[in-house]
Amino acid sequence: MRIRCIANTGESLPSNYIDPARGYKKETEFPLTVGKEYTVYALKQWQGTVWYYICDDNSTYYPIQTPAPLFEMVDNRMSKYWRFKFYNNGLLKIAFQQWFSEPYFYDKLTDQKEEQVLIFDKVKELMDEEALSPDPMLTAIDRSLEMANLSG
């Protein structure tokens, strides 16, 4: 999944994303570049809000939770590496397998634990390659349409 930044301040967020206690204020400036595309490595939906986990302009080794309204969709293909988990409290998370199968994976990753950093580096490489590659289904459809135009 690829997204493009369309805004990088809290001013652009709907009111349900504003949460000063968690650092999300109208005055917040996010380390994002308007117009830049980012790969989504995980996402969550919680209480009517959607958050993308991306490597923002400051991130060096793990994805950061970022409000979805700051982006537009560029490529909505779901990653083949994603798994879904629905929690009893209504939280929905979509992420790569290790996020769910290894206890406290994300916490360990943000704490720079070597094993988790290495895992994410590999997953990131795979997901970046996947996200930047042409959609094989669309490529096949384009070829089919091209052939139809040539013969018609």
Side-chain angles (χ1 to χ4, degrees):
M1 179 180 285
R2 294 284 291 175
I3 54 177
R4 180 180 302 114
C5 179
I6 57 172
N8 59 6
T9 66
E11 280 293 319
S12 302
L13 293 176
S15 60
N16 59 332
Y17 284 84
I18 302 301
D19 184 356
R22 295 183 56 230
Y24 299 105
K25 306 174 193 171
K26 290 286 184 185
E27 302 79 29
T28 301
E29 290 189 31
F30 295 89
L32 303 167
T33 301
V34 174
K36 182 177 176 181
E37 292 184 12
Y38 299 86
T39 299
V40 177
Y41 302 104
L43 62 95
K44 77 175 187 179
Q45 187 279 327
W46 171 247
Q47 297 183 338
T49 61
V50 176
W51 302 81
Y52 297 132
Y53 285 83
I54 64 167
C55 289
D56 65 20
D57 296 351
N58 286 345
S59 179
T60 56
Y61 64 93
Y62 67 94
I64 304 290
Q65 171 183 287
T66 311
L70 299 177
F71 302 91
E72 65 184 0
M73 190 66 57
V74 173
D75 183 346
N76 66 357
R77 287 181 291 163
M78 302 290 286
S79 173
K80 67 183 177 184
Y81 302 103
W82 278 353
R83 304 296 178 261
F84 295 80
K85 186 165 185 180
F86 186 74
Y87 297 82
N88 291 337
N89 63 2
L91 171 66
L92 170 67
K93 280 191 178 177
I94 303 170
F96 48 92
Q97 180 61 40
Q98 293 83 348
W99 198 301
F100 301 124
S101 62
E102 186 177 319
Y104 307 106
F105 176 86
Y106 187 74
D107 293 334
K108 293 174 185 177
L109 177 61
T110 60
D111 288 342
Q112 294 186 333
K113 299 295 182 188
E114 184 178 0
E115 181 181 348
Q116 287 70 29
V117 170
L118 290 172
I119 289 170
F120 178 67
D121 283 348
K122 184 61 179 170
V123 170
K124 181 181 185 303
E125 180 182 326
L126 292 168
M127 291 181 78
D128 286 344
E129 182 179 319
E130 174 188 55
L132 293 171
S133 67
D135 185 338
M137 180 60 98
L138 289 179
T139 304
I141 291 169
D142 291 341
R143 277 192 299 248
S144 178
L145 289 173
E146 190 175 288
M147 293 304 290
N149 286 339
L150 290 175
S151 64

